[in-house]
Amino acid sequence: MEIFVLNLPLILFNMAGYIGEFPCTVDNKGRFLLPMGLKKQIPAKEQRYFVVNRGFEKHLVLFTKKEWEAISDKVNAKNIFIKKNRDFIRKFNNGATPLELDASNRLLLPKSLLDYAGIEKDMVIFAYGNRIELWSQKAYDAFINADSSDMADLAEAVMGKKEEEDELS
């Protein structure tokens, strides 16, 4: 009798990425507690060092150091002899600040970035895909509670094209 053993590599995928909304409080020094529900979603090797930066809207984006390096490499690879590339690179990197999780599971946000995002005390961490966004509670509520017909129109514009493409095939 012959026995066959297949030696196939184990591939782990984190296709969904981060997920969740986490209400937080920022103390008067600019520190907030990284929620355990979010921390558990971050690979163990990436749970200590982060980079925070301005988001495209009035919020902040928190990256693991590894994710920041990957995105930063793409951004900084742009041709700096093109003015709009230089402008984007400067604006994208403006305010980027390395953070380290302290012994109490807190991160310290710079005052200039808190001011940019309008975060005073109440904050929402919104995690999706490979992004962790930090919003003032007030701005997040306004964004989420915007007219629901806007969401339907947005969904059609962003996701509806696939059906059109499928119909043409």
Side-chain angles (χ1 to χ4, degrees):
M1 178 163 92
E2 293 182 50
I3 298 175
F4 295 95
V5 177
L6 296 176
N7 189 9
L8 299 174
L10 177 62
I11 301 172
L12 299 176
F13 293 98
N14 187 7
M15 294 181 71
Y18 307 124
I19 188 167
E21 291 180 5
F22 306 90
C24 294
T25 302
V26 178
D27 70 14
N28 58 359
K29 294 181 181 178
R31 298 175 301 194
F32 72 96
L33 185 65
L34 187 65
M36 287 308 295
L38 176 58
K39 187 176 180 185
K40 289 178 183 178
Q41 297 178 51
I42 300 170
K45 292 180 181 179
E46 299 175 40
Q47 292 180 354
R48 186 167 178 197
Y49 298 102
F50 296 87
V51 174
V52 66
N53 200 12
R54 290 177 173 88
F56 296 127
E57 292 81 28
K58 291 287 186 177
H59 68 281
L60 305 176
V61 182
L62 182 69
F63 300 93
T64 63
K65 186 174 183 223
K66 181 179 178 182
E67 186 65 28
W68 172 259
E69 288 170 354
I71 291 171
S72 187
D73 285 348
K74 288 180 186 178
V75 170
N76 292 321
K78 298 295 179 192
N79 183 344
I80 63 168
F81 293 101
I82 299 172
K83 183 181 182 333
K84 68 180 176 182
N85 290 358
R86 286 192 310 275
D87 291 346
F88 175 74
I89 293 167
R90 288 180 185 128
K91 287 185 180 193
F92 180 80
N93 285 292
N94 183 275
T97 305
L99 304 177
E100 183 175 354
L101 201 63
D102 70 13
S104 299
N105 266 346
R106 295 175 303 187
L107 292 168
L108 174 63
L109 297 171
K111 181 162 178 16
S112 62
L113 293 181
L114 288 168
D115 290 346
Y116 167 81
I119 298 170
E120 294 174 3
K121 182 178 179 185
D122 295 324
M123 180 174 78
V124 174
I125 299 176
F126 176 47
Y128 65 96
N130 67 344
R131 298 186 59 81
I132 302 170
E133 296 182 345
L134 312 177
W135 290 77
S136 77
Q137 181 74 57
K138 188 176 181 179
Y140 187 74
D141 289 346
F143 176 75
I144 293 301
N145 294 324
D147 184 6
S148 62
S149 66
D150 289 347
M151 180 57 182
D153 293 342
L154 187 58
E156 182 177 337
V158 173
M159 301 301 292
K161 292 187 179 189
K162 183 161 179 31
E163 275 186 29
E164 293 171 11
E165 292 168 358
D166 289 344
E167 289 174 9
L168 296 175
S169 299

